[in-house]
Amino acid sequence: MGSRRGGLRGPSFDRSRAIEEVVPLLERSRVVRSHAGLHALLPALNAAPSSLVKEVRDWFAKHGVSDPAKTNELLVSAYTAEDDFEGLSNLRKAGVALPARSYVKWAKDALKRSNLFEAGERMTEMQAAGFFVPAGLMAQLAPAGGRAGKEI
């Protein structure tokens, strides 16, 4: 399937083509329409884009097969890698726990945009989830505040 740096997320990957190829393949396969089939396919989705993970998850659900814990984990990983913070927000609102890495990337993105309030919210949520906020992330608040012309 490829590594995180290349393969499914590399510049040559065509998302719509992958969905066009994977879903018909699933439709033709009778064996895969089970929890065993879903679990056999999940490792191949580790580096897949979120659109493909959602499409495969929805296809299995349509056939009465689901494993929300596993597919949510893959979606969190894909959204984090894609910097899709709206997707992460939707999962979090649905009760899905996010890993520390997701919160850190989300807070760093807010700091890059000089959105101190949002960065602070992510750090607070991170602490509420039981994670330590890295000192380096806290140290980025002061320069971001300076760029934004605000006191911290």
Side-chain angles (χ1 to χ4, degrees):
M1 281 285 156
S3 70
R4 281 256 185 233
R5 298 225 181 261
L8 289 178
R9 289 220 172 91
S12 64
F13 180 72
D14 181 353
R15 292 173 187 217
S16 60
R17 183 170 172 229
I19 291 172
E20 289 172 5
E21 292 177 6
V22 171
V23 172
L25 178 64
L26 292 173
E27 288 292 345
R28 290 191 302 268
S29 174
R30 291 254 178 240
V31 177
V32 80
R33 296 177 190 195
S34 65
H35 278 95
L38 174 61
H39 286 267
L41 187 58
L42 288 176
L45 295 174
N46 264 338
S50 59
S51 56
L52 182 58
V53 174
K54 286 189 286 192
E55 189 72 25
V56 170
R57 178 195 63 187
D58 294 347
W59 183 88
F60 274 98
K62 181 176 90 175
H63 291 90
V65 179
S66 69
D67 188 341
K70 295 281 188 187
T71 55
N72 285 340
E73 181 181 325
L74 289 173
L75 280 174
V76 166
S77 179
Y79 287 150
T80 301
E82 296 166 359
D83 294 340
D84 182 348
F85 303 115
E86 183 179 338
L88 287 174
S89 177
N90 291 336
L91 286 177
R92 190 176 47 79
K93 287 175 187 171
V96 175
L98 301 180
R101 179 176 179 266
S102 297
Y103 285 111
V104 168
K105 281 190 81 174
W106 201 348
K108 283 182 177 183
D109 178 72
L111 288 170
K112 284 180 196 172
R113 293 181 285 109
S114 297
N115 189 333
L116 301 179
F117 180 75
E118 183 181 348
E121 281 185 324
R122 297 299 82 81
M123 290 182 204
T124 301
E125 291 167 0
M126 188 176 182
Q127 287 178 321
F131 300 116
F132 291 102
V133 176
L137 188 57
M138 292 294 292
Q140 291 177 30
L141 264 173
R147 284 190 307 272
K150 299 176 182 174
E151 279 187 38
I152 299 179

